[in-house]
Amino acid sequence: MYNGSSPSSDFDEDVPPGLETTATFAKVTASGGNGPWLPYTGKALFENVIPVDEKQGKVLLGFRKAGFGCGKYNPFSGPIPLGGDIARTARADLKAQSGLDAVDIAKVGKLILVMDQNPIALDVDVFRVTSWKGEASENPEIRPMWFASPTSQTQSGLPAIPFDSMFPQDRYWLPLLTSGKYFIGRADLGAPQAENDVGPIRRYWFATI
């Protein structure tokens, strides 16, 4: 739980509340906004999973046709059941939402997302998939689409990732994922607005470790 006060002495003062500090971060890659970090009283566990084709320089995202994030491109994702295996859940959600069976999957990041007027923060483990079986296929809720990796030297001929059609924090961590760097980050977001599941980004901090 974080009540909006300053971090305790157990935390590096530069690391936002809610992020583990078991490893020293190597580089702050992005930070901004002002005001105190938003308070929260609990966490909901989620996972994000993104396939990256390193040879062809492309990354797979899902366009949401229904549910949270509708009308935006998103990682494949879902909640982690109590006591559930996180990597197994990520594999299952990738299969259900994209049609791909993950072969090589690795955790590459940790995100804390806090929304104004919501006491429950999202604690998100982020996975990168570099090999899989099957072909990406559309379903009633999600249309998978390949985009050019923002960190690849390969000219894929695919469109650039449409960050303006994604949640605002994604532009800060997705290039870290495609480059294979382990990262941690937090973003505080405004309250939901008309036709938007979240408000504008209020404060953010991302680093590689």
Side-chain angles (χ1 to χ4, degrees):
M1 182 182 81
Y2 171 58
N3 61 12
S5 61
S6 299
S8 73
S9 59
D10 293 334
F11 290 87
D12 186 308
E13 63 180 2
D14 293 322
V15 178
L19 290 172
E20 295 84 352
T21 56
T22 54
T24 302
F25 61 83
K27 180 182 179 181
V28 176
T29 58
S31 64
N34 49 51
W37 293 103
L38 291 172
Y40 59 87
T41 58
K43 292 181 180 180
L45 304 182
F46 278 77
E47 42 74 20
N48 283 182
V49 55
I50 297 181
V52 178
D53 188 323
E54 296 174 309
K55 291 183 178 179
Q56 297 189 36
K58 62 183 184 179
V59 56
L60 188 68
L61 299 172
F63 181 79
R64 281 274 179 182
K65 299 185 287 183
F68 188 83
C70 181
K72 295 183 182 296
Y73 290 94
N74 297 273
F76 305 96
S77 63
I80 301 168
L82 184 64
D85 182 277
I86 302 173
R88 184 176 300 171
T89 301
R91 288 175 183 271
D93 282 336
L94 180 65
K95 174 65 174 177
Q97 297 172 20
S98 75
L100 300 183
D101 282 306
V103 175
D104 292 319
I105 182 171
K107 180 180 172 181
V108 294
K110 166 72 75 175
L111 300 173
I112 300 293
L113 306 176
V114 186
M115 288 171 276
D116 194 16
Q117 301 178 24
N118 188 336
I120 304 301
L122 303 184
D123 185 329
V124 185
D125 285 318
V126 185
F127 290 85
R128 183 174 186 258
V129 174
T130 52
S131 67
W132 53 83
K133 296 178 181 178
E135 298 292 333
S137 58
E138 187 171 356
N139 60 66
E141 293 189 351
I142 298 176
R143 181 172 69 246
M145 185 170 176
W146 290 103
F147 295 97
S149 169
T151 55
S152 175
Q153 300 301 313
T154 301
Q155 300 298 315
S156 67
L158 293 168
I161 292 175
F163 286 115
D164 289 341
S165 296
M166 301 181 71
F167 287 120
Q169 71 276 6
D170 294 345
R171 68 177 66 244
Y172 299 113
W173 64 263
L174 209 153
L176 303 178
L177 176 141
T178 58
S179 67
K181 297 176 180 177
Y182 192 94
F183 61 90
I184 56 176
R186 173 169 167 167
D188 283 6
L189 304 162
Q193 302 175 339
E195 300 182 359
N196 283 303
D197 293 311
V198 301
I201 195 165
R202 295 174 45 150
R203 190 171 179 184
Y204 60 92
W205 182 98
F206 294 88
T208 54
I209 62 174

